[in-house]
Amino acid sequence: MGYKEEITKAMTMLGKDERTIFLGQSILYPGHVMYGTLSGVPDSKKIEMPVAEDMQMGISIGLALKGYIPISIYPRMDFLILAMNQLVNHLDKIEEMSEGQFKPKVIIRTMVGSKEPMNPGVQHCQDHTLGIRELVPNIHVIKILYPVDVMPVYEAVLEIDKSMVVIEMGDLYD
Amino acid sequence: MDGKELIKFEEEIKEVFLQGKIKAPIHLSGGNGDALIEIFSCVHPEDWVFSTHRSHFHALLKGIPPEWLKEQIIKGNSIHIMNSEYKFFTSAIVGGTCPIALGVAIAIHRSGGKEHVWCFIGDMASESGIFHECQKYARNFQLPISYVVEDNGLSTNTPTEKAWGGREQLPYTPKYQYERTFPHINVGEWVEFK
């Protein structure tokens, strides 16, 4: 199976877990390539978000405090930059600040925008993986480079008791 | 806890701080005890309370034991008091709790829960973009959350109105005004840390 097909399979798997909930822009309405990967997830588990990236990350944390496992979708890493306050100052620090009383688990799904066959320009295809790794020492940041790794990564993401940033590669979508 | 007990708690913390036993910043509450006692008469034990760097009064009125709170403050945690048992959460980033509290309210709404979420913010936070986004979302989706603006006119020592060139009208958000009885941070006297 190809990269996108594997991602779709992984999202369907995540959607079957009763704890998960999906939120982001263009997840109930088409607007980017990630939309199609959610075809196996019931609409009732999707929250279509306005463009409010930091609010979305904070909402994800709040949902997690109540026991959900949010899959918070940022279709390009360039957009995830706008959620840094909630990601860096909150999600990454809450367990330490609360001395382990609160351990919100959020799965952040993002993508390095594709450059082929159309180059979208420098605001839509940056790879900030290394920078984000520096900023969130308590959150795992993992990039998926091969189709064969997709399912094992998302199975592990669901299993472990940590928040994770999962980075997909737009140019690998087939 | 009544108003006198709230004031007494902060006076005791002040004394401990002056003895150099708290090696972290503290933000003492004062001047708003009566207003908060009235608001907390509507807050139920199962409700969530979100507060700020200045959270001692909120914590005590939520029912958190004073001894536990004092211990946390002495440990240096005053700036981010958290207690999961009492559903009490804070952030020391201005406006930081607004979307987190909103997420809790969404979860309650989806599950048909009866709890309510109370999110206390300062006047500078009430002017911020993140608050306006969250307040709009909460109102449009009729979520079980109340944002309460605690307006002392200052952010640290910056007059909010002067810095913004005016103030936003907040027709949908409860607000009370008060004057601080302590400085923004610490107690206003030099402390020798040994």
Side-chain angles (χ1 to χ4, degrees):
Chain A
M1 280 198 286
Y3 194 81
K4 184 180 178 186
E5 208 173 344
E6 287 286 352
I7 301 267
T8 305
K9 189 174 148 193
M11 291 304 114
T12 303
M13 179 272 295
L14 290 175
K16 285 178 179 163
D17 190 300
E18 62 180 17
R19 299 167 297 173
T20 57
I21 188 164
F22 295 71
L23 62 162
Q25 196 194 11
S26 297
I27 67 169
L28 271 172
Y29 306 94
H32 56 71
V33 68
M34 285 183 170
Y35 168 80
T37 68
L38 300 170
S39 57
V41 177
D43 284 355
S44 60
K45 299 196 76 167
K46 300 174 187 169
I47 303 176
E48 181 77 9
M49 293 299 299
V51 177
E53 292 85 354
D54 207 42
M55 183 180 87
Q56 177 183 321
M57 189 67 74
I59 287 173
S60 304
I61 295 170
L63 288 165
L65 290 177
K66 284 288 290 175
Y68 281 102
I69 300 178
I71 291 92
S72 199
I73 296 174
Y74 294 85
R76 296 178 188 270
M77 283 192 95
D78 318 78
F79 308 161
L80 182 60
I81 295 300
L82 284 107
M84 284 296 124
N85 175 43
Q86 287 297 329
L87 180 63
V88 177
N89 288 327
H90 294 85
L91 185 60
D92 187 62
K93 307 295 185 294
I94 288 169
E95 183 176 348
E96 181 180 344
M97 290 194 297
S98 69
E99 298 181 327
Q101 294 179 84
F102 292 114
K103 293 175 68 173
K105 170 179 170 165
V106 178
I107 299 170
I108 296 129
R109 186 184 164 204
T110 190
M111 178 188 285
V112 178
S114 63
K115 293 179 184 171
E116 299 290 344
M118 291 190 294
N119 189 322
V122 292
Q123 290 180 320
H124 280 61
C125 63
Q126 295 302 303
D127 184 347
H128 296 299
T129 305
L130 295 178
I132 289 175
R133 277 196 181 126
E134 288 274 325
L135 289 168
V136 290
N138 301 307
I139 296 173
H140 294 309
V141 179
I142 189 162
K143 186 188 285 181
I144 304 178
L145 295 173
Y146 303 100
V148 69
D149 290 335
V150 171
M151 277 304 286
V153 164
Y154 275 111
E155 282 168 350
V157 164
L158 187 59
E159 186 71 24
I160 66 166
D161 191 22
K162 285 269 184 189
S163 290
M164 288 195 71
V165 177
V166 182
I167 300 158
E168 300 168 13
M169 302 300 290
D171 276 328
L172 297 179
Y173 269 66
D174 31 28
Chain B
M1 218 175 204
D2 63 27
K4 286 181 181 171
E5 289 170 317
L6 290 174
I7 292 168
K8 184 167 175 256
F9 180 88
E10 291 296 59
E11 291 292 347
E12 285 175 8
I13 296 298
K14 176 182 173 180
E15 288 309 311
V16 177
F17 188 82
L18 286 170
Q19 292 165 24
K21 292 180 180 174
I22 304 173
K23 292 179 179 170
I26 57 171
H27 300 80
L28 297 174
S29 302
N32 58 343
D34 291 342
L36 283 177
I37 286 169
E38 191 177 337
I39 293 166
F40 270 82
S41 68
C42 304
V43 177
H44 301 291
E46 67 272 22
D47 290 350
W48 285 72
V49 169
F50 287 79
S51 178
T52 66
H53 54 285
R54 194 183 313 283
S55 68
H56 299 174
F57 277 6
H58 303 130
L60 293 167
L61 290 169
K62 186 63 172 59
I64 289 175
E67 305 76 30
W68 183 90
L69 179 60
K70 188 174 179 180
E71 193 178 294
Q72 288 293 312
I73 294 166
I74 291 171
K75 278 171 71 178
N77 291 339
S78 173
I79 198 166
H80 44 63
I81 297 293
M82 305 264 201
N83 190 307
S84 59
E85 184 185 347
Y86 286 85
K87 298 182 180 176
F88 190 81
F89 188 103
T90 68
S91 169
I93 302 290
V94 171
T97 55
C98 290
I100 301 174
L102 185 63
V104 170
I106 293 170
I108 293 168
H109 184 65
R110 287 181 74 91
S111 66
K114 300 295 180 198
E115 315 106 282
H116 194 78
V117 181
W118 301 83
C119 185
F120 293 87
I121 61 171
D123 44 276
M124 188 63 93
S126 78
E127 300 289 336
S128 70
I130 189 67
F131 163 70
H132 283 276
E133 290 175 12
C134 294
Q135 192 268 351
K136 176 168 58 180
Y137 194 97
R139 184 165 51 89
N140 288 346
F141 286 100
Q142 298 184 306
L143 298 174
I145 182 170
S146 299
Y147 292 99
V148 180
V149 178
E150 304 182 298
D151 185 357
N152 59 28
L154 299 170
S155 172
T156 62
N157 295 309
T158 300
T160 300
E161 184 167 0
K162 284 193 177 179
W164 273 105
R167 289 293 301 274
E168 193 78 13
Q169 297 301 310
L170 301 170
Y172 306 108
T173 308
K175 178 172 92 168
Y176 73 87
Q177 292 180 302
Y178 76 105
E179 283 187 29
R180 291 192 312 222
T181 57
F182 287 104
H184 160 65
I185 190 168
N186 302 334
V187 299
E189 298 176 41
W190 287 104
V191 177
E192 187 179 349
F193 293 106
K194 294 169 184 171

